[in-house]
């Protein structure tokens, strides 16, 4: 067993160390060959998808590089004094990948996905191995606190199953709202927000008056005219954030131009990504027709493929100062927003989708979600700092957190369940989740979910 794990980790680490732009073409090419594509077409699809993904990430990185310092400057301008520093998701991810449980957890998540697909419990085939760091963080943190690997593996199993099901349930929105068919998003940092967002969106639908308020990007463009164009919105919002950051006029306008570029370039990069994905999706459909009696399977990817949507960028720009304000006014919050301010996109992207682009709802729900991130980050800071330190990372800032890891409502609930009173709380979580599963797929039905999501097609025309 040790020899197998060592061999697996040698190959796995070689691919992971080469980076996502090597890993993604390899995985897509192998998957395409499995679906029956010729090698030349399979390799072209893999490289094209990687090009699109690289383009998306380059533009998102541009946004992070420019918006991040501006957001941090806003924090300094406000003069916040908080003792839990947001060190960013990448710091937590590096700690997670350094955990001793890495090979076991990676194999566990892959096995759970395969079993669920075979048993028809999910239609998501997750190839986004890098983002297993969410499961690794949760499992590693549970093991660090309890010293019990069984609880860690149980926590990871629960998180994996929930994530794959959330990916299934939101796939119609990825297809209709973002226009990317055949893809689902088993991405914990994005899916976690649904625990709050889905009930609140349902509540909005039931409240007379509020359920009539619908402000989407087409409405923004209609009423603002020239000022509602994506490039102009990016320019305006970028300039506003630059002004709040205390920048001089030149830097204010420069930030506006960068945000305008983000709004224009991301949709074009997404088109390249979809171009590479289409032959894979078509081959997958034919393969499923042959082997699964026409069953439709979805490729599980990082939410990076949707965060460049103009509505997501606009909401992110609005949520950045709101998040800083929340950090100041929320009683009991100790987290200082910092490194992850530029990746709020991943926390709110699916909120917009299930709200079908309604900016009014999304802004309110996004505010509640970010408040939960600040609180969960505060409550888990001591454990997270200890775990990161134990894996070899050192921080001069004292307590740490981020907008990822146990700051996510899903991760935090599972972490607390497995470290507080697992014998009692874990069964409660399972009962609640099975009840939700029954309601969504039996009482409501995926057909109605599809119809609800399909309304986006008319709204976005």
């Amino acid at each position: 067993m040790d020899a197998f794990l060592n061999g697996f980790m040698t190959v796995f680490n070689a691919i992971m160390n080469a980076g996502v732009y090597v890993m993604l073409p390899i995985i897509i090419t192998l998957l395409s060959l499995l679906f029956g594509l010729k090698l030349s077409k399979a390799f072209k699809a893999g490289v094209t998808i990687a090009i699109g993904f690289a383009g998306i990430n380059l533009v998102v990185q541009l946004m992070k590089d420019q918006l991040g310092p501006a957001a941090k400057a806003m924090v300094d301008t406000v003069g916040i004094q908080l003792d839990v520093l947001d060190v960013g998701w990448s710091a937590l991810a590096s700690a997670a990948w350094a955990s001793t449980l890495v090979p076991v957890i990676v194999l566990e998540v892959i096995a759970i996905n395969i079993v669920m697909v075979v048993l028809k419990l999910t239609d998501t085939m997750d190839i986004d191995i890098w983002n297993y760091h969410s499961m690794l963080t949760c499992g590693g943190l549970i093991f660090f606190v309890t010293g019990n690997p069984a609880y860690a593996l149980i926590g990871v199993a629960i998180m994996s199953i929930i994530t794959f099901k959330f990916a299934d349930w939101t796939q119609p929105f990825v297809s209709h709202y973002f226009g990317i068919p055949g893809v689902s998003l088993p991405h914990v940092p994005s899916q976690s927000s649904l625990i709050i967002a889905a009930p609140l969106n349902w509540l909005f639908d039931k409240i007379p008056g509020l359920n009539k308020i619908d402000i989407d990007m087409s409405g923004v463009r209609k009423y603002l005219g020239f000022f509602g164009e994506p490039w102009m919105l990016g320019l305006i919002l970028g300039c506003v954030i630059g002004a709040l950051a205390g920048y001089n006029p030149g830097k204010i306008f420069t930030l506006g131009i960068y945000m305008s570029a983000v709004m224009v370039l991301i949709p074009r990069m997404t088109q390249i990504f979809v171009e590479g994905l289409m032959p894979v999706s078509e081959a997958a459909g034919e393969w499923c027709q042959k082997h699964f009696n026409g069953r439709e399977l979805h490729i599980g990817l990082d939410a990076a493929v949707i965060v460049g949507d103009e509505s997501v960028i606009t909401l992110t720009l609005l949520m950045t100062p709101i998040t800083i304000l929340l950090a100041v006014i929320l009683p009991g919050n100790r987290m200082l927003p910092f490194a992850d301010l530029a990746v709020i996109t991943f926390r709110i992207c699916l909120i917009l989708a299930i709200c079908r682009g309604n900016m009014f709802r999304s802004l309110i729900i996004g505010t509640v979600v970010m408040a939960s991130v600040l609180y969960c980050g505060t409550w888990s800071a001591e454990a997270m700092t200890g775990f990161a330190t134990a894996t070899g990372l050192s921080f001069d800032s004292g307590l740490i957190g981020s907008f990822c890891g146990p700051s996510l409502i899903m991760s935090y609930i599972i972490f607390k369940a497995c470290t507080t009173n697992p014998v009692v709380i874990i069964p409660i979580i399972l009962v609640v989740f099975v009840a939700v599963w029954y309601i969504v797929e039996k009482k409501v039905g995926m057909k109605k979910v599809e119809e609800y999501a399909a309304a986006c097609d008319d709204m976005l025309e």
Side-chain angles (χ1 to χ4, degrees):
M1 185 64 180
D2 288 341
F4 170 76
L5 288 176
N6 289 335
F8 171 81
M9 288 307 298
T10 299
V11 175
F12 180 78
N13 285 330
I15 296 175
M16 290 296 296
N17 291 337
V20 67
Y21 302 126
V22 173
M23 183 175 68
L24 191 57
I26 291 174
I27 293 176
I28 292 294
T29 300
L30 293 175
L31 196 60
S32 301
L33 291 172
L34 172 66
F35 291 148
L37 279 182
K38 293 182 179 179
L39 178 60
S40 58
K41 289 185 177 181
F43 185 64
K44 180 182 178 181
V47 172
T48 303
I49 288 174
I51 291 170
F53 192 75
I56 291 169
N57 276 328
L58 284 172
V59 182
V60 170
Q61 189 61 49
L62 171 67
M63 183 182 72
K64 292 178 183 178
D65 291 343
Q66 299 302 319
L67 184 60
K72 294 171 187 176
M74 280 197 293
V75 171
D76 295 335
T77 300
V78 174
I80 305 174
Q81 298 296 322
L82 301 168
D83 66 343
V84 177
L85 179 64
D86 158 29
V87 296
W89 68 269
S90 57
L92 266 60
S94 63
W97 283 103
S99 170
T100 56
L101 289 180
V102 165
V104 179
I105 289 178
V106 169
L107 288 173
E108 178 189 19
V109 177
I110 292 173
I112 288 172
N113 188 207
I114 292 173
V115 170
M116 289 182 69
V117 168
V118 171
L119 296 180
K120 299 184 179 181
L121 298 176
T122 184
D123 294 321
T124 292
M125 294 186 301
D126 186 9
I127 65 171
D128 184 24
I129 296 174
W130 165 247
N131 277 305
Y132 284 11
H133 70 76
S134 293
M135 287 77 162
L136 288 167
T137 302
C138 188
L141 194 56
I142 293 169
F143 182 54
F144 171 76
V145 172
T146 66
N148 189 329
Y151 286 149
L153 296 179
I154 290 171
V156 168
I158 295 171
M159 178 178 285
S160 301
I161 293 168
I162 292 174
T163 302
F164 294 139
K165 290 312 300 179
F166 278 13
D168 289 341
W169 298 338
T170 55
Q171 194 281 327
F173 296 95
V174 176
S175 179
H176 292 285
Y177 184 75
F178 293 109
I180 308 179
V183 165
S184 62
L185 307 175
H187 185 242
V188 174
S190 303
Q191 295 290 351
S192 182
S193 300
L194 297 180
I195 294 175
I196 293 173
L200 286 183
N201 185 56
W202 175 85
L203 188 62
F204 268 106
D205 279 337
K206 303 300 179 183
I207 300 176
L210 284 179
N211 58 8
K212 301 298 182 183
I213 301 176
D214 189 359
I215 304 173
D216 59 16
M217 286 302 295
S218 62
V220 170
R221 288 193 291 267
K222 177 181 177 182
Y223 291 110
L224 295 182
F226 169 76
F227 294 98
E229 292 295 323
W231 66 269
M232 179 56 79
L233 280 172
L235 181 65
I236 292 171
L237 291 172
C239 287
V240 168
I241 289 176
L244 292 173
Y247 284 180
N248 62 45
K251 289 189 70 175
I252 289 173
F253 191 70
T254 298
L255 182 61
I257 291 295
Y258 278 125
M259 293 305 101
S260 181
V262 168
M263 297 285 272
V264 171
L265 291 175
I266 281 283
R268 300 184 184 184
M269 296 301 102
T270 304
Q271 288 176 359
I272 296 174
F273 179 88
V274 173
E275 178 186 329
L277 182 66
M278 288 311 297
V280 184
S281 179
E282 291 171 1
E286 294 175 2
W287 187 82
C288 291
Q289 280 281 359
K290 181 178 180 180
H291 296 281
F292 287 93
N293 296 320
R295 180 181 170 197
E296 182 180 2
L297 296 179
H298 308 123
I299 299 173
L301 294 174
D302 190 311
V305 299
I306 65 169
V307 297
D309 178 83
E310 62 182 280
S311 299
V312 175
I313 299 297
T314 301
L315 184 59
T316 299
L317 293 173
L318 293 172
M319 283 303 307
T320 300
I322 289 174
T323 301
I324 295 171
L325 178 62
L326 287 172
V328 176
I329 66 174
L330 285 176
N333 172 61
R334 296 168 58 192
M335 182 182 283
L336 172 64
F338 196 66
D340 272 347
L341 280 167
V343 296
I344 292 174
T345 43
F346 292 90
R347 309 301 169 266
I348 55 88
C349 55
L350 286 176
I351 296 174
L352 259 169
I354 67 169
C355 291
R356 299 184 297 190
N358 189 326
M359 295 291 288
F360 171 74
R361 289 190 190 188
S362 299
L363 193 62
I364 295 174
I365 295 173
T367 299
V368 178
V369 166
M370 292 313 300
S372 78
V373 167
L374 292 171
Y375 276 130
C376 291
T378 296
W379 297 332
S380 61
E382 290 190 13
M384 191 64 242
T385 304
F387 171 61
T389 302
T391 60
L393 297 180
S394 60
F395 302 93
D396 297 329
S397 57
L399 296 177
I400 65 164
S402 84
F403 289 179
C404 199
S407 297
L408 303 171
I409 188 69
M410 183 196 302
S411 300
Y412 182 78
I413 290 173
I414 293 173
F415 162 63
K416 291 301 290 184
C418 292
T419 57
T420 304
N421 192 348
V423 175
V424 174
I425 302 178
I426 288 176
I428 292 174
I429 291 176
L430 292 175
V431 168
V432 171
F433 177 63
V434 169
V436 172
W437 191 335
Y438 175 78
I439 291 170
V440 172
E441 297 196 2
K442 301 299 180 182
K443 297 293 288 185
V444 176
M446 285 304 297
K447 183 177 180 181
K448 287 187 178 180
V449 175
E450 179 77 29
E451 291 172 353
Y452 188 85
C456 297
D457 296 339
D458 296 329
M459 296 176 180
L460 297 175
E461 287 180 355

